[in-house]
Amino acid sequence: MQHGPLLLDDCQTRFRLWAPDAHSVSLLLSGGATLPMPLQEDGWYSLDVEAGAGTAYHFLIDDQLQVPDPASRAQAGDIHGPSLVIDPQAYAWRHQQWKGRPWHETVLYELHVGACGGYAQIEKRLAALAELGVTAIELMPLAEFPGDRNWGYDGVLPYAPEASYGSPDDLKRLIDTAHGHGLMVFLDVVYNHFGPDGNYLTHYARHFFRHDQQTPWGDAIDFRRPEVRDFFIGNALMWLNEYRFDGLRLDAVHAIPDRGFLVELAERVHAETEPGRHVHLVLENEDNRVSLLERHFTAQWNDDGHNVLHSLLTGESQGYYADYREDSTRKLVRFLGEGFVYQGQQDRRGHARGEPSGYLSPTSFVLFLQNHDQIGNRAFGERLITLAEPDALRAATALLLLSPMIPLLFMGEEWGAREPFLFFTSHHGELADAVREGRRGEFAEFSEFADEATRARIPDPNAAETFEASRPNFTRVDSEWADLYRQLLEIRHREIVPRLQGTAFLGATALGEAAVLAHWRLGDGSRLRLELNLSLQQVALVPVPAKARLLHNSRKNNTDAGLLPPYTARIHLEDINE
């Protein structure tokens, strides 16, 4: 059976619940009726009822516990409130012929729907993003969470879009409008855990979890059970087929111990989506498990690339940056020449991590200088523009937007936003206290937060002002940064994107401390050359081939082809037809 309600016709719905540990399950309708649900095979309860779209309902477990549908398609209020039956066919799509875009054309723009004002407000910004050169927006998780403000990674009802952002049809309208502007829409999904508030599964389906494996969020989800696998795969298919998302970003799959589930999910997505559509599956995986990219997954976030660049730009070496600050030039060379830094090498804790990646296409890697994690995991949520030298950041931005890797921008980055992006929630009572203290405790090992008084200055995640401070001010545009992003994206789409299919790494070499020369062979046989210097010293260069065209120089007043000044990036294209 599929999870969640099935609207059979205009006035009849099949309600279903997998509750193998319940002695009885009843359906509670909004009108007050209590209807016992017959037990089917394998722990399923099912009942067909005269009820149409808009019907509000709960399940009653063992005549004692009232719960929402774990596969609710929408909620009337918050996570503890009644679930709603919706008609998945009610929305009239305007761009039904949209098939998506090939992956190599992707320029991702990650945003938080709540911080941007909800679906309707984002819809108003789509034309400007398309005109800038963005080709895909990526929404942070939408699964219903407690309260009306949350990062999104505390969701407990993964089938129900967060009600405070708008209705399911409002979300579809956003996606439809994006397609009309030529924009793909990706969704960040969390299949490795449920949030700490509102998850009732352990009361009637305790084997949804396994107690012998732990994650940072508690017991691991038990993907050995077909009902559990189907719950999440059905969710992925709903977003892709019913809402017509163009791709999914799978959060922290290193916390999913069952690799077989990931392979099955990818295989079913490609088998059960409309033929001819471009559908992309992107991983976040700290394990750098390259083999998954050979099994229907399109690409992986390149945290290695971010971390070594961030360490060089800021000098930071605490936390996981300690793995990148030492011998950083060699790691910069490996990242630019082969994709991942860690390909089986040991990290600072002595753990071997990663698999060889140099044989993959550079487009298998999503590169970023900032994202929700890398800003929001900081105590005060500072953006890179407040941490790095401007010239160094301009050079790194040129690398981001003109390398053959797939670039990702974080909302506001493209015009020099300086508002922080903090960790925010809207928990209450003891849970709010635990989240606040847990957040501050995360930084206890950092030298600048060694004393309790300093940690107390870290913003309270549950305070409304923490959320408000994290909202980008779209009226405060730094025209210099906006012009740079516009120029670089115009170059990318004109000179690089048409040549990206079939691109390969050609390696990189060190020119000096924090300075690298990297080459890639593009799909048409031409060569892309990057000269990058993130140090304070100028370095000597290997001569540029006579046929090479300069695409961009981050230091416009520098004309010496033999030397690369501090904080500079230059990109050349050696076209085979020249």
Side-chain angles (χ1 to χ4, degrees):
M1 289 189 180
Q2 293 181 341
H3 294 266
L6 176 64
L7 193 65
L8 300 174
D9 55 38
D10 289 344
C11 58
Q12 190 173 30
T13 299
R14 178 170 297 156
F15 295 91
R16 299 165 293 198
L17 180 68
W18 184 59
D21 298 312
H23 297 294
S24 68
V25 176
S26 297
L27 177 69
L28 302 182
L29 295 179
S30 54
T34 301
L35 306 174
M37 299 178 67
L39 175 62
Q40 311 292 323
E41 294 181 352
D42 300 322
W44 283 95
Y45 291 81
S46 179
L47 181 66
D48 293 356
V49 177
E50 293 293 326
T55 298
Y57 68 99
H58 276 101
F59 293 121
L60 181 63
I61 307 298
D62 297 337
D63 295 323
Q64 295 179 338
L65 179 64
Q66 184 173 298
V67 301
D69 189 339
S72 167
R73 266 44 174 192
Q75 287 294 103
D78 209 352
I79 54 172
H80 303 287
S83 302
L84 292 174
V85 177
I86 67 167
D87 182 356
Q89 305 303 321
Y91 180 80
W93 291 90
R94 290 166 290 150
H95 300 98
Q96 295 187 44
Q97 303 308 311
W98 171 263
K99 301 293 185 182
R101 300 181 67 151
W103 175 247
H104 71 277
E105 296 179 358
T106 304
V107 175
L108 285 159
Y109 186 91
E110 186 190 24
L111 58 88
H112 185 279
V113 174
C116 290
Y119 304 132
Q121 291 302 312
I122 295 169
E123 189 176 349
K124 296 177 182 178
R125 295 195 50 77
L126 294 177
L129 288 173
E131 192 271 334
L132 173 66
V134 169
T135 64
I137 61 172
E138 180 175 309
L139 310 182
M140 289 174 64
L142 302 178
E144 273 281 3
F145 50 72
D148 58 4
R149 58 183 186 273
N150 192 288
W151 254 33
Y153 298 88
D154 285 339
V156 292
L157 299 175
Y159 283 78
E162 169 58 33
S164 66
Y165 298 162
S167 70
D169 279 1
D170 291 335
L171 173 57
K172 291 177 180 178
R173 188 175 299 107
L174 167 63
I175 296 168
D176 201 5
T177 302
H179 291 168
H181 288 292
L183 293 167
M184 296 180 285
V185 187
F186 286 68
L187 177 63
D188 193 345
V189 293
V190 181
Y191 294 160
N192 51 60
H193 76 286
F194 291 87
D197 182 14
N199 175 20
Y200 295 95
L201 285 165
T202 55
H203 294 280
Y204 56 84
R206 64 179 183 273
H207 294 299
F208 212 98
F209 304 92
R210 53 187 304 178
H211 309 300
D212 60 329
Q213 289 188 342
Q214 296 293 301
T215 74
W217 308 279
D219 290 345
I221 295 171
D222 192 352
F223 289 101
R224 297 172 300 181
R225 299 196 65 102
E227 297 87 355
V228 176
R229 294 198 302 274
D230 287 344
F231 181 87
F232 291 104
I233 293 173
N235 181 258
L237 291 169
M238 180 197 74
W239 294 124
L240 295 169
N241 291 332
E242 182 181 321
Y243 285 84
R244 298 186 65 80
F245 278 95
D246 299 280
L248 302 174
R249 181 258 191 189
L250 278 69
D251 176 68
V253 301
H254 49 271
I256 297 176
D258 192 332
R259 182 178 182 275
F261 160 72
L262 296 170
V263 173
E264 181 182 350
L265 182 148
E267 290 175 345
R268 286 188 56 186
V269 161
H270 289 287
E272 298 179 39
T273 50
E274 179 185 344
R277 282 183 63 193
H278 295 284
V279 174
H280 310 295
L281 297 176
V282 181
L283 299 169
E284 180 198 21
N285 187 353
E286 289 183 1
D287 293 338
N288 288 359
R289 221 186 300 175
V290 170
S291 50
L292 285 171
L293 298 174
E294 300 171 341
R295 301 293 297 271
H296 303 298
F297 287 97
T298 309
Q300 180 174 315
W301 277 27
N302 195 343
D303 287 304
D304 279 3
H306 166 274
N307 293 348
V308 69
L309 288 170
H310 184 97
S311 179
L312 287 168
L313 288 169
T314 66
E316 293 179 4
S317 60
Q318 298 201 67
Y320 48 74
Y321 292 126
D323 283 332
Y324 299 88
R325 187 62 180 156
E326 183 179 351
D327 204 8
S328 56
T329 301
R330 182 172 59 86
K331 290 169 181 174
L332 180 66
V333 167
R334 187 180 300 141
F335 144 60
L336 290 172
E338 302 175 37
F340 288 137
V341 172
Y342 284 90
Q343 304 178 36
Q345 294 85 357
Q346 290 187 347
D347 62 17
R348 68 190 185 283
R349 295 189 176 95
H351 300 148
R353 180 164 71 85
E355 299 170 346
S357 61
Y359 69 95
L360 295 172
S361 168
T363 59
S364 298
F365 304 90
V366 175
L367 182 60
F368 41 84
L369 295 177
Q370 303 178 89
N371 63 33
H372 74 273
D373 268 333
Q374 306 298 351
I375 304 174
N377 283 341
R378 303 180 64 83
F380 298 107
E382 306 99 325
R383 289 174 178 261
L384 199 53
I385 196 171
T386 69
L387 302 172
E389 288 289 335
D391 285 338
L393 185 54
R394 290 186 188 94
T397 301
L399 160 63
L400 170 69
L401 296 181
L402 296 183
S403 91
M405 301 184 201
I406 300 299
L408 178 142
L409 311 179
F410 186 69
M411 59 179 188
E413 172 186 341
E414 76 281 13
W415 42 261
R418 292 178 178 271
E419 293 79 17
F421 187 69
L422 299 158
F423 176 70
F424 49 83
T425 58
S426 48
H427 297 306
H428 301 283
E430 293 182 1
L431 179 57
D433 294 338
V435 169
R436 182 190 311 109
E437 295 311 310
R439 171 69 172 169
R440 291 169 177 171
E442 290 177 12
F443 299 95
E445 296 181 3
F446 289 66
S447 58
E448 61 265 43
F449 298 106
D451 65 277
E452 188 173 343
T454 304
R455 293 197 298 275
R457 295 192 297 108
I458 297 174
D460 178 0
N462 299 291
E465 53 265 30
T466 300
F467 169 72
E468 291 298 330
S470 301
R471 302 182 66 171
N473 186 342
F474 293 103
T475 66
R476 193 182 299 159
V477 175
D478 185 321
S479 59
E480 182 180 346
W481 283 103
D483 290 345
L484 175 63
Y485 277 77
R486 189 177 305 279
Q487 174 194 2
L488 291 173
L489 284 171
E490 192 278 329
I491 294 171
R492 181 178 186 86
H493 288 298
R494 184 185 72 239
E495 300 283 2
I496 296 173
V497 168
R499 299 174 164 92
L500 269 184
Q501 288 183 298
T503 296
F505 289 104
L506 290 179
T509 57
L511 298 172
E513 187 68 25
V516 172
L517 174 66
H519 291 92
W520 298 272
R521 186 185 68 247
L522 301 180
D524 64 352
S526 57
R527 289 164 59 99
L528 191 68
R529 170 184 169 121
L530 167 71
E531 304 159 2
L532 178 69
N533 184 3
L534 295 180
S535 76
L536 284 169
Q537 306 298 321
Q538 66 180 8
V539 295
L541 282 171
V542 177
V544 179
K547 293 182 179 181
R549 289 187 290 122
L550 179 66
L551 299 183
H552 178 74
N553 185 348
S554 68
R555 290 269 192 154
K556 295 181 180 179
N557 59 352
N558 171 250
T559 58
D560 189 339
L563 294 173
L564 192 63
Y567 298 153
T568 302
R570 289 200 298 230
I571 294 92
H572 292 82
L573 179 68
E574 186 179 356
D575 195 325
I576 59 171
N577 297 318
E578 289 291 328

